[in-house]
Amino acid sequence: MPRDVLVRRTAETDLPAITAIYGEAVRAGAGSFELKPPDVAEMTRRWRNRVAKGNPHIVASRDDAVIGFAYAGRYRTSPAYRFMAEDSIYVAPDAQGAGVGRALLIELLKLCEGLGYRQVIALIADGNPASLA
């Protein structure tokens, strides 16, 4: 992990920065299938829903600024998938390529293991969702 990066649980005060990072991913078509970036209220609703279900949600910060975030949740509701989680990781454009995503993934995997998950999968997508409209 980069020495100047702190990975910790997400706080509600992190949500404006998370919204900005995610919004940029939506606009760039990197890893999101949404066509319009959600606002802070919607991102807050999603975060509260994930956390209420006991799912991990973390951020990476540098100099007290959020530069990435990650979360995981149950992959599918069928009991056959009860040990599988799906992760999502987003890193601010100016922090990409510096090990931030790796640091988030390492911590997220530890948290998932602590919750009893034995497999974590990711859908890695890159493309402009506007071209799908």
Side-chain angles (χ1 to χ4, degrees):
M1 172 165 53
R3 290 185 183 161
D4 61 341
V5 173
L6 170 69
V7 176
R8 59 173 173 73
R9 299 262 181 180
T10 301
E12 191 161 352
T13 55
D14 299 323
L15 292 165
I18 286 171
T19 302
I21 292 168
Y22 184 70
E24 180 58 34
V26 171
R27 283 186 290 280
S32 170
F33 292 101
E34 295 195 63
L35 300 176
K36 180 181 173 195
D39 62 14
V40 175
E42 174 59 19
M43 292 298 283
T44 300
R45 186 196 66 72
R46 293 177 189 185
W47 170 72
R48 286 180 179 155
N49 185 46
R50 288 181 184 115
V51 172
K53 292 179 180 178
N55 294 318
H57 201 295
I58 57 177
V59 296
S61 64
R62 179 185 296 135
D63 298 327
D64 296 322
V66 173
I67 56 173
F69 70 100
Y71 58 88
R74 191 161 171 185
Y75 174 60
R76 299 239 170 107
T77 57
S78 169
Y81 295 103
R82 68 189 172 280
F83 300 115
M84 291 181 70
E86 182 177 7
D87 72 350
S88 292
I89 300 173
Y90 295 91
V91 177
D94 60 347
Q96 293 175 3
V100 176
R102 179 187 200 92
L104 284 163
L105 179 60
I106 289 168
E107 183 61 21
L108 193 62
L109 290 175
K110 288 178 192 175
L111 293 169
C112 284
E113 184 176 15
L115 291 170
Y117 291 116
R118 296 295 170 245
Q119 294 177 319
V120 177
I121 63 169
L123 172 63
I124 301 172
D126 189 13
N128 187 346
S131 67
L132 301 174

